[in-house]
Structures are given as C-alpha cells and as structure tokens.
Amino acid sequence: MKQGTTIITLDNGYHLWTNTQGKGDIQLLCLHGGPGGNHEYWENFGEELADLGVQVSMYDQLGSWYSDHPDYSDPEIAKKYLTYDYFLDEVEEVRQKLGLDNFYLIGQSWGGALTMMYALKYGQHLKGAIISSMVDNIEEYVVNVNKCREEALPADAVAYMKQKEAEGNWNDPQYQKYVDVLNAGYVDRKQPTSIRHLINTTATPVYNAFQGDNEFVITGKLKEWDIRDQIHNIKVPTLLTFGEHETMPLASARRMARDIPNSRLVTTPNGGHHHMIDNAPVYFDHLKQFIRDVEDGSFKANSIINPNRN
C-alpha cells in the first residue's frame, strides 16, 4: 500500500484526505471522533505499533478539516450526507479504495459508534474491532457527563452553565472557561500543545447535526443513539478501551464487556476521553497486547483488565 498522504475520490465525487504509515501484514484503519473532528490523535500510531508490523491508515471523514466540505446549507446535501448510513458506508468505501480486508478497525468516540455499526453490518471484513471511549447509547453518556461536571464544579458554576445552555449562549466567555476546566479534567488531561490549533478546526455543521451545540445537552441525531439491543451480535474479537477519568461511563463499558461475546475491557489510569495521549504507554500496551493475542490465537473473551478502578 502507498505510504504517506493520498487523496481518494469517492464514488459521489467528493475527496477524502487519507494517510498510511508503517509496513507489515497487519492492517489497522482509524476512525476519528467528533462528529466532525479529524485524524490528528492517530498520527503516532504507525510509530507506536511498528514493532508489531502494523500498517496504520487514517482519514478525515467527509466535512472534516482536511477532506472536502460539502455545502451542508443545501437541505438536499444535508439530508443525503449527514446521516448514520452515509458515514457507515463511507468507512466501507474507504476500506475498498485502500485495499483493506481482514483488518482491524479502531474508532474513538463517534468513531467508536461507527466501529460498532461497521462490525454489525460489515463484520466479515474484520479481524478485530477496537472501541475507544464510546458507549452503545447516548442516554447513559449524558447522565455521566453531567455527573462529571457536578463533581468538578461548584453548584453555582453548574447552575450558570445550565442557564447559558437554556439561553443557547454557548459562546459566553465564562461558560467556555468552565468547559475548559472540564476538558482538562475529563477529555484532554495532558493538554498537549501538539494538537492545538490557532482556530477551531471542528466541522461545525457535522457536529451540530449529530451532537448539537455542546457536550452536555444533546439535541442532534445522536440523541436517539442506542444499539444496546444489537451489540451482542458483534462477533469479532473486540477491545473496549476507556480512560479512568473520562466523560464516558465505565459502568456502561463493563456492561458492554458482558454483552459483546468476544470482548475485553481495559482501562487507562490517569486517562481522560483522549487516553491515547493522556497515558500513551498504558494505552498502547493494551492495544498491542490485544493485537498480539488475536494474531497468535490466544485472545480470551470477556477478560477484564482494571474493571473497577474509577
């Protein structure tokens, strides 16, 4: 497979930015979060997994920073491309155009939702699935993320945030200061300068369509996200990886480890939602052990590592 950056043309005519790193017979495709984020926290995966002979491919989904941006203000374009089905089938088309099969799929947050859906619809192409910081329904996430802010902030700050949310005043400076506190505690605990930008690179139309305006009040399509009754049909070896101090509920992760028949749950100490950065050594130890175990046929289902550490 070609190394470095390649722009692929989808059958719909739009272009996606892709990048492939590393050499070897093991293939890993990475799906970023958001929705409307980008690939950047995958950039060191080729280097980290080089000793296993893993070739790592990543891409920016349609509408995200390095790929084409459709005119979502056109209702017909929004109706066609701002859907679960579009982004799921986009993964399959990228797989085909990159020539991947019998591969590992890893998804972070929103990408984890796509990974679950892909394993259910296209699981015949997977050797293994890695669900990173994503649960199988949004209801439990909303309860947990609001619990996080009640624990992290004084009552008057939480009341202030809820008032601004009711007003729709998401850009209020004090509100954003409280969001920064929560991000530092539960999302990017390490606060790396390497993935900071001078401007906001989030694909806002995509984020708004699925999430809404912020992380605490879900008004977009994800409000109805719930596949709890389906995940038992994920049959491929599955790694569930979560930070021990993050926005996603670990209680839900433990239930998922019971419900997905061929799964393993691992947690990362001192890790937030982006625990691949917050505590990279532990994150990659877990990921590499999973790949080794699947590759040599020693993977054991329903083994849980650090399940009770919150």
Side-chain angles (χ1 to χ4, degrees):
M1 186 184 299
K2 180 182 175 182
Q3 298 288 297
T5 296
T6 300
I7 306 300
I8 63 173
T9 303
L10 299 174
D11 293 345
N12 58 29
Y14 288 115
H15 303 87
L16 299 185
W17 179 98
T18 77
N19 184 274
T20 298
Q21 306 170 7
K23 296 180 180 180
D25 296 329
I26 303 172
Q27 305 285 350
L28 175 68
L29 179 62
C30 306
L31 306 179
H32 65 71
N38 63 48
H39 72 280
E40 289 172 334
Y41 38 62
W42 306 124
E43 289 179 344
N44 66 334
F45 272 57
E47 179 179 309
E48 292 283 353
L49 300 176
D51 59 329
L52 294 186
V54 179
Q55 193 167 63
V56 179
S57 297
M58 64 202 78
Y59 72 98
D60 277 10
Q61 297 157 23
L62 188 66
S64 288
W65 187 245
Y66 291 94
S67 292
D68 274 357
H69 293 197
D71 180 9
Y72 293 121
S73 66
D74 183 328
E76 291 303 313
I77 290 177
K79 180 180 178 181
K80 184 174 182 179
Y81 294 112
L82 292 177
T83 69
Y84 288 113
D85 286 343
Y86 169 74
F87 282 105
L88 174 57
D89 291 339
E90 181 186 81
V91 179
E92 171 61 7
E93 186 172 354
V94 169
R95 178 198 72 81
Q96 293 177 21
K97 293 191 181 302
L98 292 181
L100 304 176
D101 207 358
N102 197 30
F103 71 107
Y104 293 89
L105 183 65
I106 184 170
Q108 169 68 21
S109 196
W110 155 251
L114 292 175
T115 297
M116 288 181 242
M117 290 188 288
Y118 189 91
L120 289 167
K121 185 174 181 179
Y122 297 109
Q124 70 271 21
H125 298 296
L126 293 178
K127 183 182 289 187
I130 302 103
I131 300 165
S132 183
S133 292
M134 186 61 191
V135 293
D136 54 6
N137 72 97
I138 208 67
E139 178 185 6
E140 291 172 351
Y141 158 77
V142 172
V143 171
N144 193 69
V145 75
N146 279 281
K147 179 182 175 183
C148 287
R149 74 170 169 183
E150 289 170 1
E151 293 175 349
L153 297 173
D156 60 339
V158 174
Y160 185 89
M161 291 188 75
K162 290 182 177 180
Q163 176 187 344
K164 296 305 171 185
E165 288 160 5
E167 297 170 357
N169 189 4
W170 318 107
N171 296 320
D172 175 78
Q174 185 59 53
Y175 181 90
Q176 288 302 317
K177 287 181 180 179
Y178 291 141
V179 170
D180 290 343
V181 171
L182 296 167
N183 283 340
Y186 297 97
V187 181
D188 292 310
R189 290 171 63 85
K190 198 171 181 178
Q191 296 284 290
T193 58
S194 57
I195 60 171
R196 292 181 185 172
H197 291 269
L198 297 176
I199 61 173
N200 182 8
T201 61
T202 301
T204 303
V206 182
Y207 182 84
N208 290 162
F210 285 92
Q211 182 87 1
D213 292 289
N214 82 341
E215 294 291 302
F216 304 98
V217 182
I218 312 301
T219 58
K221 299 175 189 290
L222 277 169
K223 186 176 182 179
E224 307 302 326
W225 163 255
D226 189 343
I227 60 167
R228 280 174 283 191
D229 62 344
Q230 300 178 48
I231 61 168
H232 67 278
N233 291 317
I234 296 175
K235 304 302 184 183
V236 299
T238 301
L239 180 68
L240 301 161
T241 176
F242 288 74
E244 293 185 1
H245 297 277
E246 74 153 279
T247 55
M248 293 289 168
L250 293 185
S252 300
R254 290 190 283 270
R255 175 186 49 72
M256 290 170 65
R258 295 190 296 268
D259 291 346
I260 299 174
N262 205 14
S263 66
R264 171 186 297 170
L265 170 63
V266 296
T267 62
T268 301
N270 299 316
H273 193 54
H274 293 156
H275 53 298
M276 74 281 285
I277 294 174
D278 294 332
N279 192 346
V282 172
Y283 182 94
F284 283 107
D285 280 350
H286 288 155
L287 177 58
K288 291 165 77 169
Q289 190 62 56
F290 170 74
I291 294 173
R292 286 193 195 98
D293 290 349
V294 175
E295 289 295 311
D296 66 20
S298 65
F299 177 76
K300 294 182 180 179
N302 297 319
S303 53
I304 303 176
I305 302 175
N306 296 341
N308 298 312
R309 295 178 60 183
N310 294 302

